[in-house]
Amino acid sequence: MVCSKCEKKLGTVAAPDPWKSGSNNATAGSSGRPVNANKLLSSKNKNRFAPYEVKCKTCKARVHQQGSNYCQACAYKQGICAMCGVQILDVKMYKQSTK
């Protein structure tokens, strides 16, 4: 679960999807990135090869999404944004499980 403010921070796919005309990265040249550029060398995030060093604040499990502070299971159980921790959904009367 991600709030509307954190949706802008979500990562995009490096390779364009030419078969999906409505996708965000359908045209490589119009998105502002140079065509035929090496994504490993021109990457903004230098921490690409160590994505698992952030741990969930609740359960101490490894977080698989970059920029997140909570794992998806804890964010779902608590009804919070996985990135910033803002309460999205009131789960007081819900019976939620991750199974």
Side-chain angles (χ1 to χ4, degrees), residues 36-56:
N36 296 330
N38 190 342
K39 290 300 286 183
L40 295 176
L41 298 176
S42 64
S43 176
K44 294 177 188 173
N45 189 3
K46 298 299 179 186
N47 199 10
R48 180 182 175 120
F49 296 107
Y52 301 118
E53 64 182 72
V54 178
K55 296 196 176 196
C56 177

Side-chain angles (χ1 to χ4, degrees), residues 55-99:
K55 296 196 176 196
C56 177
K57 289 184 177 180
T58 307
C59 66
K60 307 298 183 216
R62 291 180 175 169
V63 176
H64 298 284
Q65 188 176 15
Q66 289 183 353
S68 294
N69 294 319
Y70 298 94
C71 64
Q72 289 297 322
C74 292
Y76 172 74
K77 285 182 201 173
Q78 298 171 9
I80 59 175
C81 172
M83 295 181 108
C84 63
V86 172
Q87 190 77 26
I88 298 173
L89 185 64
D90 185 23
V91 293
K92 185 168 59 173
M93 300 297 286
Y94 287 9
K95 287 186 178 179
Q96 292 192 7
S97 66
T98 56
K99 295 181 181 180

